[in-house]
Amino acid sequence: MDFYSIDELQKALQNKLYMADRGLVTALYLALKLKRPLFLEGEPGVGKTEIAKVLADVLGTKLIRLQCYEGLDLNQAVYEWNYTRQMLHIRLLEARGEHARDTELFSREFLLQRPLLEAIEETERGTPVLLIDEIDRSDEEFEAFLLEILSDFQITIPEIGTIKAESKPVVILTSNRTREVHDALKRRCIYFWIDYPRFEKEYEIIRAKVPDAPQRLAQEVTRFIEELRQADLYKIPGVAETIDWTAALVALDQNILSLQIVRDTLGVVLKYQDDIAKIDLETARQILSRVKASM
């Protein structure tokens, strides 16, 4: 599916309940038009991963996700050999009095595709969305390998040869900025920083994601989260926590925020005991008072 304007792409995302700002939609539009990877940075929970999922849905294509972590190597990211099947095949041939040839053992039949190889080969059937999630958690050695992949979109397997993409997949990389990603990788990408949304935008997201939420409750929750983000917390709540908290309050048949319900459900929003301890009874009362006064 091709988009002929930024407005058309923004509307398509909104139809899938992803309320993106104009700047983000513009960056995504350019990434699609120029066939360049899109590099998204921002705090956890602001919708970086979600946009890849929604885009795959909008394009009607396959989402292939590579979750990065420390120690990620080529076996997990690109390909590896199915040693169990190879051993079974060897034993079967030995039972027949035959011997396995290397060309037989190291063939497509025994190759296990991992996300990067899968994305390259999937281009024969369509254009997948490749999500390289939390690239900042991987090692610099793996980051360097990605440079080659994103430049040529081809992988060489010594026993088989070079496999090249028929066309470039749509690539989205995300980072929570736990470390700086090398400039060489960023230069190959369209870059965009996703910040916490303004009150009006976050309220719009809540109304779309939790349509059963009373208007007053959605407003108060959004404002309360906005206040929490000003506190000295270890883990600032993202939009995902705003959505979860609103859904939890609706499940509890709440129409407005009260001090008691805030204290009872704070664990939906804050995930560390130290943070919960900082938002003690008096602090919660002060925040709630400011929220009510702003309505």
Side-chain angles (χ1 to χ4, degrees):
M1 180 179 181
D2 293 325
F3 295 99
Y4 299 102
S5 70
I6 296 170
D7 290 334
E8 185 183 4
L9 176 57
Q10 187 168 34
K11 185 176 181 180
L13 294 173
Q14 288 175 347
N15 289 339
K16 299 297 182 179
L17 304 183
Y18 191 95
M19 308 301 171
D21 286 333
R22 180 81 176 184
L24 174 57
V25 180
T26 301
L28 180 57
Y29 180 81
L30 289 173
L32 293 173
K33 283 293 182 182
L34 301 177
K35 299 187 185 303
R36 297 272 298 277
L38 176 62
F39 190 101
L40 299 176
E41 278 193 323
E43 299 294 338
V46 294
K48 302 185 298 296
T49 299
E50 184 67 18
I51 196 169
K53 298 177 182 178
V54 172
L55 181 62
D57 193 12
V58 165
L59 296 175
T61 191
K62 184 175 183 179
L63 174 68
I64 300 172
R65 180 175 181 175
L66 173 61
Q67 179 62 52
C68 298
Y69 54 87
E70 187 177 354
L72 176 66
D73 61 21
L74 301 188
N75 286 338
Q76 287 83 39
V78 187
Y79 74 93
E80 62 181 325
W81 295 104
N82 191 334
Y83 296 115
T84 301
R85 285 196 62 193
Q86 286 174 326
M87 289 302 299
L88 289 173
H89 186 72
I90 290 171
R91 290 173 182 172
L92 179 61
L93 291 179
E94 287 177 346
R96 297 174 182 170
E98 302 173 14
H99 295 284
R101 299 184 303 275
D102 285 348
T103 54
E104 183 180 359
L105 288 175
F106 293 96
S107 63
R108 288 296 188 108
E109 181 182 356
F110 300 103
L111 185 67
L112 293 176
Q113 289 182 334
R114 297 308 183 206
L116 294 181
L117 179 58
E118 183 184 358
I120 286 176
E121 294 213 300
E122 183 67 24
T123 59
E124 296 178 0
R125 296 179 287 275
T127 303
V129 173
L130 171 61
L131 169 61
I132 303 175
D133 211 10
E134 298 183 326
I135 182 62
D136 53 316
R137 293 184 179 273
S138 66
D139 301 322
E140 292 186 5
E141 292 81 2
F142 178 73
E143 188 180 320
F145 172 75
L146 268 183
L147 290 175
E148 180 183 353
I149 295 292
L150 296 180
S151 296
D152 303 325
F153 285 97
Q154 66 180 31
I155 291 171
T156 298
I157 302 174
E159 298 86 352
I160 293 177
T162 299
I163 300 173
K164 186 176 178 63
E166 293 289 328
S167 60
K168 291 183 179 181
V170 177
V171 181
I172 295 180
L173 301 96
T174 74
S175 168
N176 294 330
R177 212 173 185 181
T178 58
R179 70 169 177 85
E180 285 294 336
V181 174
H182 200 279
D183 287 345
L185 182 60
K186 286 186 175 182
R187 282 199 301 269
R188 284 166 170 76
C189 306
I190 303 292
Y191 176 84
F192 192 82
W193 172 271
I194 302 182
D195 209 344
Y196 294 115
R198 301 180 307 277
F199 172 84
E200 294 78 9
K201 176 61 67 175
E202 192 159 14
Y203 172 70
E204 183 183 359
I205 293 170
I206 298 308
R207 296 292 288 168
K209 293 289 188 177
V210 193
D212 294 338
Q215 179 178 343
R216 175 81 182 198
L217 178 66
Q219 290 174 339
E220 290 186 351
V221 166
T222 306
R223 188 70 74 189
F224 198 99
I225 293 289
E226 192 175 57
E227 289 274 350
L228 281 181
R229 289 179 186 146
Q230 306 307 311
D232 182 23
L233 301 175
Y234 176 74
K235 170 64 173 68
I236 297 174
V239 179
E241 282 74 35
T242 313
I243 295 170
D244 289 346
W245 196 26
T246 307
L249 294 170
V250 169
L252 294 172
D253 298 320
Q254 301 298 305
N255 294 313
I256 59 172
L257 283 180
S258 67
L259 184 58
Q260 184 63 52
I261 200 66
V262 168
R263 294 296 298 163
D264 289 346
T265 61
L266 205 54
V268 179
V269 181
L270 304 178
K271 309 299 183 180
Y272 292 87
Q273 177 55 33
D274 288 349
D275 286 345
I276 293 175
K278 286 180 181 178
I279 310 301
D280 56 19
L281 185 63
E282 182 56 31
T283 303
R285 181 184 287 111
Q286 292 175 4
I287 293 175
L288 188 59
S289 176
R290 292 195 295 270
V291 167
K292 298 289 186 181
S294 69
M295 292 293 102

